[in-house]
Amino acid sequence: MSAGGTVEPGPPGAAAAPSPAPAPARVFRPFSAEDEGQQPTEIESLCMNCYRDGVTRLLLTTIPFFREVIVSSFSCEHCGWNNTEVQSAGRIQDQGVRYTLTVRAAEDMNREVVKTDSATTRIPELDFEIPAFSQKGALTTVEGLISRAISGLEQDQPTRRANEEAIAERLDEFIVKLKELKQVASPFTLIIDDPSGNSFVENPHAPQKDDALVITHYNRTLQQEEMLGLQAEAPEEKPQEEDLRNEVLQFNTNCPECNAPAQTNMKLVQIPHFKEVIIMATNCEYCGHRTNEVKSGGAVEPLGTRITLRITDPSDMTRDLLKIMEGKMKAHFIMNDPAGNSYLQNVYAPEDDPEMKVERYKRTFDQNEELGLNDMKTEGYETGLAPR
């Protein structure tokens, strides 16, 4: 540039180099106290304590080796009420997470902790637990987590000392134990269990493994899905089938003897190692006629059944069928059923009966004719093309 302010021409063919485009500002910047450019956003909002105007400050930040979070803080200059909480900037994770930290030294008390409102905090050595949704989410440290629990227990102690002195004394003793944990006189365990998967405990050795910290991912239960407000897929409900085995059904009919109105009782019975049968009984109050009938609960079997029983002992006469003699002489009892729906009790069931022989055979044309099976057409009805 000349003294007069004119721009001197450059060499022929030379072009001015374009200035680099400014990098877009990051919305979520790494969490650091030394970053002066990381300033919270202030929003005027209503105080829910005095209903006057307060200020809400929002800070969008990134936790190293974790994810983006939103830290919000509200304060009211009129009544002094304030509130701080942290929320995950992402979605609910596919799995829940459980952090198990063994606190051995004072350095462990400074570990960074992100605890969402859906997380449960436990210290097994003291049998102490902070249930889920009993506190707002927080971005704090292990020491700050314990201090927050102490503040919550001390908050109503003056009222308890006035009304429930014994309970207040026991809480005072427990608060002393919590304060002793902050000195790390002896190791203790801190467990943060979050079904949403959005809580976090810092690993100061990252990306190396931390021997004091165990991270477990797990599948949520149906109750945890409902607690988080997720629309879990409800298991398919099978249609309830009416169980008729324990009921005696009654229907009106006519007596086969005098044709007077009568009532027939029907019961469905499951015979072990056989099938379901229907027992029907009719009793006529006018003529006293009674009938009993047993019908198969299923269709005609593909094969007929021939059952041969050798009666060799009086105990054979107690089988579920009928009595034909006293059992003092050996005999063969043969029952032939082309429909395949007859039954003779096997007293050795489920093992084979050495005295009984069961044969399955193909029915003859005459047997099918007697059962009415020869004229049955079971093919082609669904398409209207019955065989001709």
Side-chain angles (χ1 to χ4, degrees):
M1 181 178 294
S2 63
T6 59
V7 178
E8 297 178 357
S19 59
R26 297 181 60 182
V27 178
F28 292 89
R29 304 175 67 165
F31 182 73
S32 174
E34 300 176 357
D35 187 0
E36 297 180 355
Q38 190 179 38
Q39 298 295 329
T41 301
E42 296 187 355
I43 303 173
E44 185 176 339
S45 52
L46 180 68
C47 175
M48 300 308 295
N49 186 49
C50 68
Y51 300 102
R52 301 175 74 177
D53 289 337
V55 177
T56 296
R57 295 173 176 85
L58 296 177
L59 179 64
L60 282 64
T61 185
T62 299
I63 305 296
F65 303 103
F66 185 48
R67 60 176 61 92
E68 295 85 1
V69 296
I70 301 174
V71 182
S72 63
S73 174
F74 175 83
S75 61
C76 178
E77 62 178 7
H78 304 286
C79 65
W81 189 72
N82 58 74
N83 180 34
T84 303
E85 63 178 292
V86 64
Q87 296 178 352
S88 173
R91 61 180 179 84
I92 293 178
Q93 305 304 307
D94 296 332
Q95 290 183 312
V97 66
R98 183 184 301 109
Y99 291 89
T100 304
L101 173 66
T102 302
V103 181
R104 301 190 181 99
E107 292 79 9
D108 294 325
M109 300 297 290
N110 295 326
R111 288 177 184 248
E112 198 170 80
V113 174
V114 175
K115 176 187 172 297
T116 67
D117 53 358
S118 62
T120 299
T121 306
R122 294 195 300 270
I123 301 177
E125 287 79 2
L126 297 183
D127 195 19
F128 176 66
E129 177 176 314
I130 302 175
F133 298 104
S134 61
Q135 292 181 347
K136 294 290 185 180
L139 172 60
T140 181
T141 62
V142 174
E143 182 179 5
L145 206 62
I146 296 176
S147 299
R148 194 179 186 191
I150 294 173
S151 300
L153 293 176
E154 290 179 337
Q155 183 176 0
D156 296 329
Q157 279 296 83
T159 304
R160 293 192 189 97
R161 290 189 183 95
N163 301 326
E164 300 172 321
E165 185 176 357
I167 296 177
E169 291 178 357
R170 289 197 296 269
L171 280 176
D172 284 336
E173 296 175 359
F174 188 80
I175 290 171
V176 170
K177 295 179 181 179
L178 283 177
K179 291 180 178 180
E180 290 175 352
L181 290 181
K182 298 168 65 173
Q183 307 302 323
V184 198
S186 60
F188 66 92
T189 306
L190 176 68
I191 301 174
I192 296 180
D193 192 333
D194 186 3
S196 74
N198 286 326
S199 289
F200 169 76
V201 176
E202 179 191 9
N203 173 7
H205 311 289
Q208 282 77 27
K209 182 180 177 181
D210 190 346
D211 295 333
L213 183 63
V214 177
I215 304 174
T216 306
H217 296 274
Y218 60 88
N219 294 326
R220 286 184 287 268
T221 64
L222 182 60
Q223 290 77 11
Q224 289 172 329
E225 294 272 356
E226 294 176 354
M227 180 184 69
L228 294 173
L230 300 178
Q231 188 175 358
E233 294 183 0
E236 296 182 0
E237 295 183 359
K238 297 182 179 180
Q240 296 182 355
E241 298 181 357
E242 188 176 0
D243 189 4
L244 302 178
R245 294 183 181 87
N246 299 323
E247 295 184 10
V248 178
L249 303 180
Q250 296 181 342
F251 56 92
N252 297 325
T253 184
N254 292 333
C255 174
E257 188 69 20
C258 67
N259 203 31
Q263 198 170 57
T264 298
N265 296 330
M266 183 178 69
K267 182 175 176 59
L268 188 65
V269 179
Q270 173 68 48
I271 297 179
H273 311 289
F274 183 51
K275 60 173 64 174
E276 290 181 340
V277 297
I278 299 173
I279 301 177
M280 303 179 68
T282 303
N283 184 13
C284 180
E285 298 180 353
Y286 294 92
C287 68
H289 178 73
R290 295 183 179 181
T291 60
N292 292 293
E293 187 178 1
V294 178
K295 294 185 177 182
S296 172
V300 176
E301 296 294 323
L303 300 175
T305 304
R306 183 182 297 109
I307 302 175
T308 303
L309 172 66
R310 292 194 311 162
I311 302 175
T312 59
D313 189 86
S315 62
D316 291 329
M317 307 307 298
T318 63
R319 296 176 186 245
D320 292 342
L321 181 65
L322 74 167
K323 298 184 178 179
I324 57 177
M325 57 183 68
E326 295 180 359
K328 293 182 179 179
M329 58 177 292
K330 295 183 179 180
H332 284 75
F333 176 81
I334 301 175
M335 184 167 55
N336 189 358
D337 181 10
N341 286 327
S342 292
Y343 165 78
L344 180 61
Q345 183 187 18
N346 176 3
V347 294
Y348 296 90
E351 306 295 334
D352 293 335
D353 191 333
E355 304 296 338
M356 187 168 66
K357 180 182 179 182
V358 180
E359 302 174 80
R360 307 289 182 184
Y361 63 87
K362 187 175 181 180
R363 285 183 290 268
T364 65
F365 179 86
D366 293 337
Q367 288 173 327
N368 282 331
E369 184 71 19
E370 184 179 356
L371 294 172
L373 300 177
N374 290 333
D375 296 330
M376 288 187 179
K377 304 299 181 183
T378 59
E379 297 179 356
Y381 289 104
E382 65 277 4
T383 58
L385 299 176
R388 298 180 180 177

